[in-house]
Amino acid sequence: MEVIIRPILFGVTSLLEHIFHVDEYPENYHPDRCPYCGTTKLRPHGSYYRVPDRDSSTLNPVEILRFRCLHHECGRTCSCLPECIAPHRWYPWKEQQEVLSELLK
């Protein structure tokens, strides 16, 4: 099984910060490399929306910027998540940590 390392924008620790950064500094979300083939040739490719806050609907959904790989053999899309949104998870990091800590006791 291939493990894909997804880019994360560190330092954006709240959904409000993320919304601000998407509007004001979208270039910060541009990955350095394609997580699938490693090329540095990526271009903006729209966005999608995600519902990361299960406790409140006030900030949902939030926009996640997408990028397309320009390598002729790849062509896949990827995104860079802010630190406050866990990849492939529906719950915030803190809740995941609390559950895991309880399970390990």
Side-chain angles (χ1 to χ4, degrees):
M1 178 178 177
E2 181 182 9
V3 176
I4 304 297
I5 305 297
R6 305 227 184 267
I8 293 178
L9 180 59
F10 293 101
V12 179
T13 58
S14 75
L15 293 179
L16 284 174
E17 286 180 54
H18 168 66
I19 292 166
F20 173 78
H21 269 76
V22 166
D23 288 340
E24 298 295 322
Y25 306 106
E27 66 277 3
N28 290 350
Y29 287 92
H30 195 287
D32 294 333
R33 307 183 155 279
C34 172
Y36 303 102
C37 73
T39 187
T40 57
K41 297 177 181 178
L42 295 165
R43 69 170 170 86
H45 187 67
S47 60
Y48 65 94
Y49 290 86
R50 186 163 167 180
V51 180
D53 186 5
R54 296 291 174 193
D55 296 331
S56 168
S57 62
T58 58
L59 298 175
N60 290 324
V62 295
E63 184 177 21
I64 306 294
L65 302 177
R66 285 180 15 166
F67 300 89
R68 179 173 291 283
C69 178
L70 297 178
H71 190 273
H72 68 280
E73 292 181 7
C74 183
R76 295 176 78 174
T77 60
C78 64
S79 59
C80 179
L81 292 175
E83 183 177 348
C84 60
I85 298 178
H88 305 293
R89 304 287 189 280
W90 289 109
Y91 300 98
W93 290 109
K94 185 174 179 146
E95 286 181 33
Q96 292 179 58
Q97 180 181 5
E98 290 169 359
V99 169
L100 288 172
S101 294
E102 287 298 316
L103 289 172
L104 293 172
K105 285 182 181 179

